Amino acid sequence: MELKRVVVTGLGAITPIGNTIDAFWDSLSKGVSGAGPITRFDTTNFKTKFACEVKDFNPTDYLDRKEVRKLDLFAQYAMAASEQAILDSGLNPEEVDPDEAGVIWGAGIGGIITFMEEVRNYVEGNGTPRFSPFFIPKMISDIAAGHISMKYGFRGPNYGTVSACASSTHAIADAFNLIRWGKAKVFITGGSEAAINEAGVGGFNALQALSTRNDDPATASRPFDKGRDGFVMGEGGGSLILEEYEHAVSRGATIYCEVAGAGMTADAHHLTAPHPEGLGAKKVMEKAISDGNIKPEEVDYINVHGTATPLGDIAETKAIKDVFGEHAYKLNISSTKSMTGHLLGAAGAVESIAAILAIKHGIVPPTINHFEDDPDIDNKLNLTFNKAQERKVRVAISNTFGFGGHNASVAFKAIE
Amino acid sequence: MSDIASRVKAIIVDKLGVDETEVTAEASFTNDLGADSLDTVELIMEFEKEFNIAIPDDQAENIGTVGDAIAYIEENAK
């Protein structure tokens, strides 16, 4: 079977460093941190008191007031980012064959804010179960894909992907493969997450996964730095319009780049710790590259998972050296989580967008907050510390790895 | 307008996102105010919470308009 070519024709983002693609890129290229004290709940008794929150998000810019109440924040981010992406693509949803258009959306957790509110109301009540009829359809993580399909009338393949912090990379990989295989012509894909509440922060704190640098939130997300002490929680959503190449060309679409290849693997090692040699990370990059018939030396930029956990960053740099050999020292590597924080299930979508924008602008966004080299990390690698670097990017890879040992990588290629 | 009627109307305006002028006694939740079956269930729950009553399912089925809701609550609220 001849595989179809797949291109990216639209982008949208709601992030801690900007609520449009332009604002997001402006912050990324300038190295702006999105971290600050948590405003959503009282953090007095919490070990971590800061996060990368989305600022100034007004859901009624995208949804009517009645709809807003029926959507958990993670689904509101999905609707907002996807509206931006559809507008950006120039697609008129009414002119798309609805049976050839689908939605695949990633969320690692889903409606944890809704879940906590509803359970709290029940526990604090008199025992009468007064759960909202919208409790379940607000909470379940697949519902974002459902809402998006209803808004645009897309009747093609429709589901959610769940693989913790790799969720939205799996969504993009699935959408890419389904178009390649001729199963649909257009997808709205990506992911969103909104887990900055007591349960989200308390839960990740219990795992010892979050930075506790409460005296200096803006420099707390320090991927590859000796002083790194865990990730900073982020939230938001990223949406991509993936389209079959001929379909995009025939309607005169502006094309950002091609989706060249995707890889998916598992560590099969531990619940939360990465394989110490980065085995799953190594294999997943190898698969993404070979899937796209890409020569390793064509890869100019890797947007890494790089969460700033002590073990994860070491394993990932080892994996990059294993895959790329000498070329590992010539390509640019950066963790944009240093600015956005870790968007969990939305990380893959937002970081794929960062990789695509690096191709578009010829600029690699930095890994900010580098203060001191870690002797356990090969600092001859170009980790793009502190300042963006100009560079023509032919192929950019986005890596994400999730609790449970799920790994996913996508390779984007400048259009020829 | 009775206190109960104004409280009922406030809930409907809030939950269904409709204009207060649309919430007449004759207005049907589903036909006039854009509610679907889940919205209707939520409205009944809100009435139960606001007025501290329990509305059995077979009674709730008969509450289709704003006036039905006000009448039922005026009769059953303590």
Side-chain angles (χ1 to χ4, degrees):
Chain A
M1 183 177 67
E2 197 194 335
L3 295 176
K4 311 280 189 195
R5 288 175 77 186
V6 182
V7 292
V8 179
T9 56
L11 300 174
I14 300 289
T15 78
I17 57 171
N19 293 347
T20 63
I21 288 295
D22 288 347
F24 173 56
W25 177 251
D26 190 55
S27 297
L28 272 187
S29 52
K30 287 179 180 153
V32 173
S33 165
I38 289 172
T39 63
R40 305 282 170 78
F41 64 94
D42 177 5
T43 59
T44 306
N45 296 323
F46 284 73
K47 276 199 294 190
T48 294
K49 302 176 193 300
F50 62 96
C52 289
E53 293 182 347
V54 166
K55 289 104 186 150
D56 305 320
F57 174 67
N58 186 0
T60 53
D61 291 347
Y62 300 94
L63 301 159
D64 74 38
R65 203 176 62 81
K66 186 179 161 202
E67 281 180 295
V68 169
R69 285 195 318 103
K70 297 181 182 177
L71 272 70
D72 184 90
L73 187 57
F74 95 94
Q76 294 176 18
Y77 290 155
M79 295 297 276
S82 294
E83 185 173 320
Q84 292 177 18
I86 282 283
L87 279 173
D88 185 42
S89 74
L91 264 179
N92 179 349
E94 286 172 10
E95 288 171 4
V96 177
D97 179 347
D99 297 315
E100 293 287 344
V103 184
I104 304 176
W105 198 260
I109 299 175
I112 193 171
I113 295 173
T114 297
F115 183 83
M116 196 178 140
E117 277 173 6
E118 290 283 334
V119 172
R120 176 152 59 193
N121 285 342
Y122 174 67
V123 170
E124 290 177 353
N126 64 3
T128 308
R130 293 190 192 280
F131 291 95
S132 161
F134 298 106
F135 169 29
I136 303 297
K138 271 175 87 171
M139 174 197 69
I140 50 181
S141 65
D142 59 283
I143 206 72
H147 280 295
I148 295 168
S149 74
M150 285 177 250
K151 172 154 184 181
Y152 299 105
F154 287 4
R155 296 198 297 252
N158 187 289
Y159 56 91
T161 51
V162 183
S163 51
C165 307
S167 298
S168 51
T169 312
H170 279 108
I172 295 167
D174 277 8
F176 163 59
N177 281 325
L178 287 174
I179 296 174
R180 268 214 292 194
W181 298 333
K183 305 293 183 190
K185 296 202 184 301
V186 177
F187 272 99
I188 300 175
T189 185
S192 58
E193 202 81 84
I196 303 178
N197 73 344
E198 295 90 328
V201 173
F204 279 107
N205 261 160
L207 282 168
Q208 316 272 359
L210 298 182
S211 168
T212 55
R213 199 179 297 276
N214 292 314
D215 58 348
D216 194 6
T219 74
S221 184
R222 301 185 183 196
F224 309 111
D225 188 80
K226 187 160 189 281
R228 68 188 182 280
D229 71 331
F231 74 80
V232 177
M233 202 190 291
E235 61 168 352
S239 183
L240 299 84
I241 307 301
L242 264 49
E243 201 168 342
E244 195 256 314
Y245 176 72
E246 297 295 340
H247 189 273
V249 168
S250 70
R251 69 178 184 88
T254 303
I255 294 171
Y256 279 95
C257 65
E258 184 160 359
V259 189
M264 311 183 217
T265 66
D267 274 12
H269 169 69
H270 186 268
L271 273 185
T272 56
H275 188 282
E277 297 304 316
L279 189 63
K282 170 175 180 270
K283 291 275 177 209
V284 81
M285 282 186 275
E286 285 174 354
K287 279 181 187 287
I289 291 169
S290 68
D291 186 50
N293 290 316
I294 295 162
K295 297 186 201 80
E297 58 272 21
E298 288 179 279
V299 177
D300 291 310
Y301 172 42
I302 304 176
N303 185 305
V304 290
H305 191 55
T307 58
T309 54
L311 295 175
D313 288 7
I314 294 172
E316 192 170 8
T317 50
K318 277 183 186 167
I320 290 170
K321 291 197 326 185
D322 281 350
V323 174
F324 293 93
E326 275 306 301
H327 184 65
Y329 297 100
K330 295 180 187 148
L331 50 78
N332 273 76
I333 299 166
S334 78
S335 171
T336 45
K337 287 188 180 77
S338 58
M339 296 172 273
T340 62
H342 188 354
L343 275 72
L344 308 176
V350 166
E351 290 162 19
S352 286
I353 291 170
I356 292 163
L357 294 173
I359 292 174
K360 178 184 170 184
H361 295 284
I363 294 170
V364 174
T367 307
I368 65 165
N369 295 330
H370 184 67
F371 300 94
E372 191 180 351
D373 288 349
D374 177 349
D376 290 329
I377 285 174
D378 186 343
N379 283 285
K380 293 199 299 295
L381 294 169
N382 183 357
L383 294 157
T384 324
F385 282 136
N386 295 334
K387 258 187 79 98
Q389 293 176 15
E390 283 188 30
R391 172 177 195 149
K392 182 175 191 286
V393 178
R394 293 164 297 169
V395 174
I397 292 178
S398 171
N399 286 343
T400 50
F401 315 133
F403 282 174
H406 325 286
N407 310 303
S409 285
V410 202
F412 300 97
K413 189 175 184 180
I415 200 85
E416 282 159 17
Chain B
M1 191 162 50
S2 74
D3 169 55
I4 285 177
S6 63
R7 283 156 71 194
V8 165
K9 286 183 181 181
I11 289 171
I12 294 167
V13 167
D14 178 49
K15 295 297 171 190
L16 300 184
V18 290
D19 196 86
E20 207 181 323
T21 56
E22 297 174 69
V23 188
T24 59
E26 301 76 34
S28 153
F29 299 135
T30 49
N31 297 332
D32 302 318
L33 301 177
D36 64 18
S37 61
L38 294 182
D39 293 318
T40 311
V41 174
E42 192 185 35
L43 275 182
I44 296 292
M45 288 182 52
E46 288 301 317
F47 298 148
E48 291 182 324
K49 202 157 66 182
E50 174 74 16
F51 298 100
N52 196 26
I53 54 174
I55 306 176
D57 288 351
D58 58 341
Q59 301 287 317
E61 281 168 19
N62 299 325
I63 301 176
T65 66
V66 177
D68 292 343
I70 294 169
Y72 182 89
I73 294 162
E74 283 181 336
E75 200 165 308
N76 292 279
K78 292 148 202 112

